[in-house]
């Protein structure tokens, strides 16, 4: 059985390499890879049905190590397909935010999973309960929603090991993609600043009014951002030196008429634009 699993893995790896070399869309590649792994699992299931494990230790080895290596790969590519599908057509910043949320979800999975601690620390005292088919208990199955699970090819936690393998691989993938996108966004921001693409052409007073509005509205980090940091970012991005923005804000506060002239103007402008678009 060990040789059968080893050959199945080698065949999967060769097929993945072949598929990756194709000039087709990434999602189509992933679907092809999923088909290859599914076929291998079907063949593996048939082989197990005709095979008699020599002892409980061999059965444990199969369901704790061998089978999850393939089923975990399937879980990874299914989840990868779902992730990549959601990225299509989105901006780099939106993609980066989405991938970070997915990475956070994976971290929570590892934190709130008692079986993960058992597996990660290499414990074995419950292996016979977890990885021998005759000890399978649907009432203790964390994947109990899959009521059609085949008890001849299922133990209590072989799918849990597969999920851990898949999530470890997803963690590596997401971390690498986030780093690539972050570098891309950093280079884009640097290019905007260095080329002075966004040059503030209204008054400094107007910018200070805008900055204080962002600060008062707690628009960044739920209000946990200093006024100085917001001002510095605006100065850098908009290529302007504000100077003493505290003094400028004092002048704004002392206005006799509207103290929010710039914001009022912005409001009028956007309402006018929307009215024109509605016509």
């Amino acid at each position: 059985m060990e040789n059968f699993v080893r050959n199945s893995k080698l065949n999967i790896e060769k097929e993945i390499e072949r598929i990756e070399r194709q000039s087709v869309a990434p999602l189509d590649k992933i679907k092809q890879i999923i088909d290859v792994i599914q076929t291998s699992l079907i063949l593996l299931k048939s082989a197990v049905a005709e095979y008699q494990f020599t002892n409980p230790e061999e059965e444990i080895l199969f369901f704790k190590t061998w089978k999850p290596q393939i089923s975990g790969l399937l879980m990874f590519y299914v989840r990868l397909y779902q992730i990549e599908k959601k990225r299509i057509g989105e901006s780099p910043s939106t993609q980066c935010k989405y991938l970070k949320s997915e990475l956070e979800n994976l971290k929570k999975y590892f934190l709130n999973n008692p079986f993960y601690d058992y597996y990660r620390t290499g414990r074995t005292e419950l292996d016979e309960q977890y990885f021998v088919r005759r000890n399978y208990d649907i009432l203790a199955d964390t994947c109990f929603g899959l009521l059609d699970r085949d008890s001849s090819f299922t133990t209590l936690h072989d799918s849990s090991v597969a999920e851990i393998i898949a999530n470890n691989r997803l963690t590596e993938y997401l971390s690498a993609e986030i780093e690539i996108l972050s570098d891309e966004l950093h280079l884009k921001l640097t290019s905007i600043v260095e080329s002075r693409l966004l040059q503030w052409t209204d008054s400094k007073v107007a910018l200070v009014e805008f900055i204080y509005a962002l600060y008062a509205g707690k628009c960044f980090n739920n209000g946990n951002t200093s006024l100085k940091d917001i001002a510095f970012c605006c100065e850098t991005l908009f290529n302007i030196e504000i100077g003493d923005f505290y003094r400028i804000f004092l002048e704004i506060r002392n206005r006799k008429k509207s103290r929010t002239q710039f914001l009022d103007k912005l409001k009028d402008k956007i309402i006018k634009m929307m009215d024109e678009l509605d016509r």
Side-chain angles (χ1 to χ4, degrees):
M1 182 55 66
E2 183 177 4
N3 287 335
F4 187 91
V5 176
R6 184 182 295 110
N7 290 334
S8 295
K9 286 179 59 184
L10 287 173
N11 179 65
I12 291 171
E13 290 170 2
K14 289 179 181 177
E15 284 298 296
I16 290 176
E17 289 179 4
R18 179 186 65 80
I19 292 168
E20 290 290 358
R21 290 195 296 267
Q22 293 180 357
S23 300
V24 297
L27 289 182
D28 290 334
K29 289 182 181 180
I30 297 173
K31 284 195 287 186
Q32 289 185 46
I33 292 171
I34 289 173
D35 288 340
V36 167
I37 302 172
Q38 283 183 308
T39 300
S40 293
L41 274 174
I42 291 172
L43 294 174
L44 183 61
K45 181 179 178 180
S46 298
V48 169
E50 299 174 359
Y51 182 78
Q52 183 67 43
F53 289 106
T54 55
N55 51 50
E57 287 72 26
E58 186 185 16
E59 185 172 356
I60 289 169
L61 183 62
F62 176 82
F63 285 104
K64 187 176 183 179
T65 304
W66 297 342
K67 178 191 172 186
Q69 290 175 1
I70 298 177
S71 54
L73 196 61
L74 178 62
M75 287 185 184
F76 166 73
Y77 276 104
V78 169
R79 190 70 190 99
L80 180 63
Y81 180 87
Q82 296 167 342
I83 289 172
E84 290 302 308
K85 189 175 181 180
K86 288 186 178 180
R87 291 176 65 181
I88 294 175
E90 298 293 346
S91 66
S93 59
T94 301
Q95 290 184 47
C96 194
K97 183 178 179 180
Y98 167 63
L99 296 183
K100 285 180 178 179
S101 69
E102 289 295 315
L103 187 58
E104 285 301 312
N105 289 336
L106 285 178
K107 291 178 180 177
K108 290 176 184 177
Y109 164 83
F110 288 123
L111 287 173
N112 303 319
N113 190 332
F115 175 79
Y116 174 68
D117 290 331
Y118 175 87
Y119 178 79
R120 178 183 58 84
T121 54
R123 291 163 57 187
T124 59
E125 71 272 14
L126 297 176
D127 278 4
E128 191 161 339
Q129 176 186 339
Y130 287 168
F131 302 108
V132 174
R133 288 168 295 177
R134 61 179 167 80
N135 293 328
Y136 174 72
D137 178 9
I138 193 171
L139 298 178
D141 193 346
T142 56
C143 299
F144 65 90
L146 303 175
L147 297 180
D148 60 345
R149 295 183 76 181
D150 188 343
S151 59
S152 68
F153 197 55
T154 299
T155 65
L156 186 59
H157 276 302
D158 67 88
S159 61
S160 299
V161 176
E163 191 172 14
I164 290 171
I165 291 172
N167 286 348
N168 281 333
R169 189 159 180 168
L170 275 173
T171 298
E172 294 177 2
Y173 175 81
L174 291 172
S175 299
E177 289 296 301
I178 289 169
E179 184 174 353
I180 291 171
L181 288 169
S182 297
D183 288 344
E184 181 181 338
L185 290 169
H186 177 72
L187 289 172
K188 185 175 181 179
L189 178 61
T190 301
S191 175
I192 289 173
V193 172
E194 290 180 349
S195 63
R196 299 186 177 183
L197 188 62
L198 293 177
Q199 178 71 52
W200 184 266
T201 54
D202 211 309
S203 68
K204 291 183 180 181
V205 175
L207 182 56
V208 170
E209 185 180 324
F210 177 62
I211 291 169
Y212 269 88
L214 294 174
Y215 177 71
K218 300 181 179 180
C219 297
F220 302 109
N221 302 324
N222 297 313
N224 296 316
T225 302
S226 72
L227 190 63
K228 284 185 177 180
D229 285 342
I230 298 173
F232 173 76
C233 288
C234 288
E235 284 183 316
T236 304
L237 184 60
F238 301 142
N239 191 41
I240 184 173
E241 291 185 12
I242 298 174
D244 189 352
F245 57 88
Y246 293 110
R247 180 189 58 79
I248 295 175
F249 183 63
L250 180 61
E251 295 175 1
I252 294 172
R253 288 173 55 196
N254 290 331
R255 286 172 178 166
K256 293 183 178 180
K257 295 184 179 180
S258 172
R259 296 199 288 183
T260 55
Q261 293 175 8
F262 178 64
L263 297 178
D264 293 342
K265 182 179 75 172
L266 290 183
K267 178 183 175 182
D268 291 340
K269 292 285 187 181
I270 192 170
I271 289 175
K272 182 180 178 182
M273 183 184 73
M274 289 189 290
D275 289 342
E276 291 175 351
L277 290 172
D278 290 339
R279 290 172 187 162

